[in-house]
Amino acid sequence: MLSALYHQLSKAAAALIVLLAAAVLPTAIASAADEDEESTPFAAPEVKIPAPDPNVLAFVDARATTSLNGTWNFIVDPMNMGTPGGFFGGWATTRIPVDEWQLLEYNYPNARQIRVPGDFNTQFDDLFFYRDSVWYQRDVDITPAPGQRYHLWFGGANYTTKVFLNGEPVAEQKGGYVPFSVDVTDVLVAGRNDLVVNVNNRLGADTVPTGRTDWWPYGGLTRDVLLVEVPAAGITNAKLTLASDRRHIEGEVTTRNVPKGGGVAIKIPELNISHKAKVDANGVAKWRVAAKPELWHPNNPKLYDVTISAGDESVEDRIGFRTIETRGQTILLNGEPIRFAGISTHEEPIGRDGAAYSRADMEVLFAEAKALGANFVRAAHYPYSRHAAEVADEIGLLLWEEVPIYWNIAWENPETLAIARDQLSRLIQRDWNRASVVIWSVANETPYSKPRMAFLENLIEDARAADPSRLVSAALLGDTRRELKDVALHLAAYGVAQDDVPAEERAIFQAILDRAGSAAPEVGSGFTLVIDDPLGELVDIVSYNEYFGWYYARGIAPAIGVSEKTVRQLMFQFMHHVNLSADFDKPMHISEFGAGAKSGKRGEGVWTEDYQARVYEAQTAMIANSPQVQGMTPWILKDFRAMLRTLPGIQDYRNRKGLIDENGRRKQAFYVLRDFYSGPWVTAAEESSR
Ligand code: GCB
């Protein structure tokens, strides 16, 4: 390992070698550097950093841990030159100067301080738009117990994270939002340990997601950091599932250093279960036991205390049991029809800017979903912290969890695929015991292409292999061009019949109908929109994002030469006669619809609460009119930060489609949706099974 070599050299010798190398071999050094840094002969040496363990270390809250949350030292490094062992990074990897003679350009004792967990963008005004490299440092004081193993565990860090412990590069993770850990026992020393973490939230064409998203790419150590102590022989993870017959609980326990034939015990005292199983040659124990648990349901979020023991370790969790499946166009929870009365969210707290990171943040956010009458949340567009599913389990909310494959990504790049698979795998391994989670979603609004199909097919297969007990979906796009053309034709029928439409616009509508000849529709004749994205074949639920009442008018009005006002007014009438359907005999879910509204702005026209409420009225009518639609998650519960949303005075870098604003104030549309969710659309599904 190159860095280890550096450590063995004296500081002076190492410096001399690099200065000579810089003079003699600039191109060799440059080629080893990051692409943006290739112009400097002083680039940091290329350091090979191991990937973290692909197996998620689960049950961290049930193990002996030292929290590394709190105040860390923090250096912003826009040139990304501070790798330990590099010219600027300082030969002394700790970067805490031994005395006033030592030249160190990265000096932690005088650095500013940052709170962990928490993104850096919202902790410092000057870093609000920052998307690049930063360094975190803190001391870890510990006396390692003999025979125990110590894992550094990160709940998630965005986006590329390089971890150095006592100068040793110990782990590099690409991809934000998912947990990763590394066994650092052999690098830890008794007493003070120096933990340095580089996090870089720069995104590009090959990252997952890419640099352009409609949410804030909050960077840094956004989630909990823990030092987890475990015995050498014990449990890495375990999965408990209610079998499809709902009469057995089955699962597997993954162990470490437990020899073949070693025992595993599963105890669920409230169900009188005390089961023993044996570990196979791979360290895995599979088991199945008769059980008749009270079933978890959003109206009855029953959880059981579970204890699993193997080797020298016992872990505990609270786990709910339920089944989820589809039959034809129906969704069945515990064998009974259910409709997903949902809402989409981003992982932002109410009343504070930044990424949510605590259990309390999630409790407040999800309580607002409950207050809406929702039984379901689409946790868009990336994995949230582990607290999200834990809270959903406790309060009774079904969850859609998603990986950030968003719009177009580098479908043909194998590294991009590897990152996407890693994120999905870590998310599933972390949350497969959460009864609330019923859907793994592999993508959002990805335009059709053959490489996209191959890429997503890989992920869908992965999800099914890792967890056959849940449904797989993806938020699809329709054929927008065809849709808008068909919709325009229908709007023309409404337009000609309406006196308050200006005469010249009526003439335009008439011309459209004349051109259509016998294909010209009549007012109220109904219109069926069919989703035929071939990805629908591979998923269990055909989910669809549509923006009737919002974006569509913007496309149609200029294309046909009438005002947006006219199109929007006609659209509200037309939407009552639309039937959303799919070319596949599967349930449909409207994964998004919505409209922007500035909190408190009343009156007519876009951005008003009144307009947003009208969109919700028309949308809910449309959905009630669409028998195949069994679920919906309008966009979105709360206004959220988005660099894409610049409109001064209205957006100011927030997407305004929230039903509540950033401080939790409810807009008019909140009440429209709450009424809908207390009505027959939700209850009819449940009653149909009685
Ligand atoms: C979408 C995207 C979502 C955006 C939303 C919008 O279709 O999936 O990420 O934020 O539209 O507001 O336009």
Side-chain angles (χ1 to χ4, degrees):
M1 202 181 294
L2 194 54
S3 71
L5 187 68
Y6 274 116
H7 303 152
Q8 286 158 22
L9 297 170
S10 74
K11 286 168 211 151
L16 193 61
I17 288 170
V18 166
L19 283 176
L20 284 174
V24 181
L25 289 171
T27 47
I29 291 181
S31 67
D34 204 79
E35 35 184 278
D36 283 1
E37 292 144 19
E38 60 200 12
S39 56
T40 170
F42 301 108
E46 193 183 26
V47 180
K48 186 101 188 79
I49 310 183
D53 189 342
N55 298 310
V56 165
L57 181 69
F59 309 110
V60 285
D61 296 302
R63 303 180 193 259
T65 56
T66 306
S67 171
L68 302 180
N69 292 345
T71 305
W72 291 50
N73 300 314
F74 181 68
I75 291 176
V76 181
D77 185 16
M79 297 280 165
N80 196 23
M81 296 287 274
T83 300
F87 182 82
F88 291 98
W91 307 111
T93 52
T94 64
R95 292 187 264 177
I96 294 170
V98 288
D99 58 28
E100 64 274 32
W101 293 91
Q102 189 183 356
L103 175 60
L104 271 189
E105 299 201 43
Y106 285 72
N107 175 334
Y108 285 114
N110 297 329
R112 59 173 138 176
Q113 311 259 291
I114 189 165
R115 190 195 67 240
V116 173
D119 63 90
F120 55 69
N121 303 90
T122 55
Q123 292 193 55
F124 304 102
D125 287 347
D126 60 320
L127 298 184
F128 190 53
F129 291 104
Y130 187 74
R131 309 175 73 170
D132 224 305
S133 167
V134 299
W135 293 89
Y136 288 75
Q137 188 276 340
R138 66 161 288 159
D139 292 350
V140 180
D141 286 305
I142 183 168
T143 311
Q148 294 289 87
R149 306 298 300 181
Y150 294 83
H151 295 248
L152 255 180
W153 182 92
F154 295 81
N158 201 17
Y159 171 84
T160 303
T161 309
K162 297 177 183 173
V163 185
F164 301 83
L165 185 64
N166 296 329
E168 276 298 317
V170 292
E172 174 172 353
Q173 169 73 10
K174 282 189 188 167
Y177 311 116
V178 284
F180 61 93
S181 63
V182 55
D183 183 339
V184 293
T185 317
D186 299 338
V187 189
L188 272 183
V189 296
R192 194 187 82 81
N193 289 268
D194 178 56
L195 178 57
V196 170
V197 184
N198 176 241
V199 193
N200 193 327
N201 67 335
R202 191 195 303 174
L203 299 168
D206 294 326
T207 53
V208 185
T210 64
R212 232 170 249 158
T213 61
D214 194 17
W215 73 87
W216 214 265
Y218 293 118
L221 296 179
T222 48
R223 307 236 175 106
D224 293 334
V225 184
L226 305 171
L227 186 67
V228 186
E229 179 188 336
V230 297
I235 298 150
T236 299
N237 203 342
K239 175 161 71 163
L240 285 84
T241 312
L242 182 65
S244 50
D245 65 4
R246 287 186 288 280
R247 290 178 179 279
H248 294 85
I249 294 174
E250 58 193 13
E252 53 187 70
V253 181
T254 315
T255 63
R256 310 176 301 278
N257 298 325
V258 177
K260 184 174 173 210
V264 165
I266 302 101
K267 291 199 178 116
I268 312 177
E270 213 183 321
L271 292 173
N272 288 324
I273 290 175
S274 179
H275 187 74
K276 290 203 160 46
K278 286 205 183 323
V279 160
D280 67 15
N282 300 319
V284 178
K286 295 200 164 117
W287 51 273
R288 179 177 165 97
V289 59
K292 198 98 186 41
E294 189 180 327
L295 300 177
W296 188 97
H297 188 283
N299 300 335
N300 177 40
K302 170 72 189 161
L303 300 176
Y304 289 91
D305 288 330
V306 174
T307 306
I308 300 152
S309 314
D312 299 320
E313 203 172 22
S314 264
V315 292
E316 279 157 23
D317 202 354
R318 283 167 60 69
I319 298 181
F321 299 100
R322 52 107 197 91
T323 57
I324 187 81
E325 67 205 293
T326 64
R327 190 183 306 137
Q329 299 183 2
T330 307
I331 304 169
L332 302 174
L333 177 66
N334 298 328
E336 310 218 328
I338 184 163
R339 283 199 171 124
F340 295 155
I343 189 71
S344 296
T345 57
H346 266 295
E347 193 189 29
E348 284 188 359
I350 297 175
R352 189 187 78 230
D353 261 357
Y357 51 77
S358 69
R359 197 181 167 102
D361 284 344
M362 294 321 297
E363 280 167 356
V364 174
L365 188 70
F366 283 176
E368 194 63 5
K370 279 291 236 192
L372 184 65
N375 61 17
F376 185 100
V377 161
R378 175 185 178 201
H381 283 301
Y382 42 79
Y384 295 5
S385 78
R386 69 195 188 289
H387 303 302
E390 287 166 5
V391 171
D393 263 18
E394 293 276 352
I395 68 172
L397 270 176
L398 296 157
L399 266 195
W400 155 314
E401 295 200 324
E402 184 166 334
V403 286
I405 297 169
Y406 186 83
W407 296 347
N408 256 323
I409 69 166
W411 304 118
E412 293 178 84
N413 182 336
E415 200 202 346
T416 306
L417 177 62
I419 294 169
R421 294 179 79 171
D422 180 68
Q423 293 206 28
L424 181 65
S425 164
R426 289 176 185 279
L427 171 64
I428 294 176
Q429 290 182 63
R430 190 194 65 190
D431 281 354
W432 57 25
N433 289 324
R434 301 283 73 88
S436 52
V437 180
V438 287
I439 292 184
W440 304 122
S441 172
V442 297
N444 179 74
E445 292 185 354
T446 50
Y448 175 80
S449 72
K450 282 204 172 129
R452 170 262 205 173
M453 290 298 291
F455 189 106
L456 294 180
E457 202 171 337
N458 261 300
L459 292 186
I460 291 170
E461 278 171 12
D462 283 0
R464 294 200 192 287
D467 179 20
S469 75
R470 288 179 173 79
L471 306 175
V472 176
S473 196
L476 307 181
L477 272 179
D479 178 346
T480 317
R481 192 177 287 180
R482 189 191 67 206
E483 274 165 27
L484 293 190
K485 214 165 139 242
D486 291 349
V487 169
L489 183 60
H490 278 261
L491 292 181
Y494 288 76
V496 287
Q498 214 127 331
D499 289 347
D500 51 0
V501 171
E504 54 294 0
E505 294 190 340
R506 263 185 286 149
I508 292 173
F509 287 134
Q510 189 58 56
I512 292 173
L513 293 176
D514 291 347
R515 263 201 308 279
S518 59
E522 281 175 19
V523 168
S525 59
F527 169 69
T528 299
L529 188 139
V530 183
I531 303 305
D532 59 0
D533 181 337
L535 198 65
E537 195 65 63
L538 305 180
V539 291
D540 298 309
I541 295 193
V542 179
S543 301
Y544 178 52
N545 293 354
E546 49 87 2
Y547 278 88
F548 278 95
W550 187 247
Y551 292 124
Y552 291 7
R554 191 173 69 183
I556 292 171
I560 62 176
V562 301
S563 73
E564 235 178 278
K565 177 179 179 187
T566 298
V567 173
R568 289 185 185 280
Q569 304 278 13
L570 296 175
M571 188 74 90
F572 285 136
Q573 300 170 33
F574 166 65
M575 283 165 70
H576 287 261
H577 305 283
V578 174
N579 171 13
L580 301 166
S581 74
D583 231 359
F584 313 94
D585 185 27
K586 298 179 181 185
M588 267 187 88
H589 179 95
I590 300 304
S591 30
E592 284 179 33
F593 73 77
K598 174 88 195 259
S599 182
K601 186 170 161 65
R602 304 300 303 266
E604 293 213 305
V606 295
W607 305 119
T608 62
E609 286 194 27
D610 307 75
Y611 185 89
Q612 186 191 37
R614 283 184 79 185
V615 170
Y616 271 73
E617 275 154 14
Q619 279 279 358
T620 48
M622 180 166 79
I623 285 169
N625 195 32
S626 305
Q628 198 171 347
V629 175
Q630 299 299 315
M632 58 192 268
T633 42
W635 196 253
I636 183 170
L637 182 60
K638 186 188 78 80
D639 289 354
F640 60 97
R641 280 286 180 201
M643 291 190 187
L644 196 55
R645 307 292 173 174
T646 60
L647 185 64
I650 298 282
Q651 294 176 321
D652 302 313
Y653 303 102
R654 282 187 214 276
N655 184 312
R656 292 289 181 198
K657 296 193 186 71
L659 293 177
I660 62 175
D661 68 14
E662 63 272 29
N663 296 315
R665 184 188 165 275
R666 293 175 182 172
K667 305 179 193 173
Q668 295 305 304
F670 181 96
Y671 302 103
V672 175
L673 189 59
R674 194 176 67 177
D675 285 351
F676 185 69
Y677 283 166
S678 65
W681 187 78
V682 177
T683 47
E686 288 160 24
E687 275 157 18
S688 72
S689 65
R690 296 214 175 100

